[in-house]
Amino acid sequence: MPRSMHAYRLHGLMIHSDAPLGEPVDQEGPPDVEMRWATTPVAPSDGAQLVAGSWDPERRFFEVYEDADGWTLHALPVQFAARVHRDLRSVEITPGTRGEEFAGVLAAGALLGMLLDLRGEIGLHASAVEVDGQAIAFTGPTGAGKTTIAALACSAGAGLVTDDLLRIALEDPVLCHRGASALRLRERVARLADAPNVLAASRTADERLALRFAPSAVETLPLRAIVLPRLARDAERVEVEPAPRARALAV
């Protein structure tokens, strides 16, 4: 592994990366994925087909292009771009206008989510914690409170499984894989930095507060439940309501 790279164990994959993806691990062996800073700017090729696009509430527009060589993820207006080659192992990244740390945030989120999809895996927009050897996932749109609830659970003693991206496998039982090593919180809940069981707190390149908690005891664990938070500021207690399957699928 080149000296500039670090090894990461995320979502069941060994990743060697120039881009910072969280807490590195000290593990030997061949990587499943290599992410390198591009020597020339990454951009969609002439004739590349636009195959997907999404509008992020934080005003980042993601476009995905496909051509004979692979796929290009382009994030506007920060000019981040990543090329995923057809082997689904080699990735080249142009950091863009916000620099390498910010590029690492996008690589650990949108880029890894796209890569899991291309590899035929299931990635949920969810945070998750471990309770009694099983995972509880919190999913919903941006701002629904998934990361905040995960932080509250970790401060009460749960182990951290992941933040914002959860890889699951449709086995019997359904399994999920450990991902992010910290929870990225918005400024309005920064007081959670003083909560119990926080191992470290730091500011991120995307102006969030990253809180590191003890990780789940194992990398792969059964998924016990998926929770869809619905915050009510006037609520006096927590209520849990089972969702019918049709409603859960619609969400």
Side-chain angles (χ1 to χ4, degrees):
M1 181 172 60
R3 184 176 299 178
S4 64
M5 285 187 162
H6 292 287
Y8 301 90
R9 186 73 183 174
L10 298 169
H11 311 296
L13 300 174
M14 175 58 72
I15 303 172
H16 291 177
S17 176
D18 284 334
L21 302 178
E23 288 293 316
V25 296
D26 185 16
Q27 282 186 252
E28 300 293 335
D32 299 298
V33 178
E34 282 193 347
M35 295 185 176
R36 299 176 179 272
W37 298 129
T39 55
T40 58
V42 173
S45 63
D46 293 338
Q49 181 180 2
L50 178 65
V51 294
S54 65
W55 178 253
D56 185 294
E58 295 179 343
R59 297 188 175 276
R60 290 196 297 268
F61 183 72
F62 292 93
E63 298 174 329
V64 179
Y65 293 86
E66 183 178 6
D67 60 21
D69 295 324
W71 300 264
T72 299
L73 174 67
H74 193 204
L76 299 170
V78 297
Q79 299 303 316
F80 167 93
R83 157 76 64 169
V84 178
H85 292 269
R86 287 282 171 185
D87 63 3
L88 299 179
R89 294 184 69 255
S90 305
V91 181
E92 296 172 291
I93 299 173
T94 295
T97 59
R98 295 285 298 274
E100 294 180 356
E101 292 293 327
F102 190 86
V105 173
L106 297 183
L111 177 56
L112 270 180
M114 184 182 84
L115 184 61
L116 289 176
D117 183 65
L118 291 172
R119 294 171 69 99
E121 306 294 346
I122 300 174
L124 296 182
H125 184 200
S127 299
V129 301
E130 177 194 11
V131 178
D132 296 332
Q134 297 180 307
I136 306 294
F138 306 99
T139 189
T142 298
K146 1 178 234 303
T147 301
T148 301
I149 295 174
L152 290 169
C154 288
S155 70
L160 175 59
V161 177
T162 193
D163 182 34
D164 219 38
L165 176 62
L166 176 67
R167 176 189 168 188
I168 66 171
L170 299 182
E171 308 287 346
D172 186 14
V174 176
L175 301 176
C176 61
H177 297 268
R178 195 166 63 200
S181 57
L183 293 164
R184 293 168 43 252
L185 294 162
R186 298 174 186 275
E187 186 62 35
R188 63 176 177 265
V189 290
R191 63 184 180 278
L192 287 176
D194 298 322
N197 297 318
V198 174
L199 301 179
S202 60
R203 295 290 174 181
T204 66
D206 62 342
E207 300 173 351
R208 300 284 186 93
L209 179 65
L211 301 184
R212 189 161 62 86
F213 293 93
S216 59
V218 293
E219 288 190 16
T220 304
L221 61 165
L223 179 61
R224 177 67 179 86
I226 298 176
V227 179
L228 291 78
R230 186 171 57 192
L231 301 181
R233 299 190 182 280
D234 58 346
E236 297 181 355
R237 58 193 175 92
V238 176
E239 296 183 2
V240 179
E241 175 188 351
R245 291 184 181 182
R247 179 183 165 199
L249 288 172
V251 174

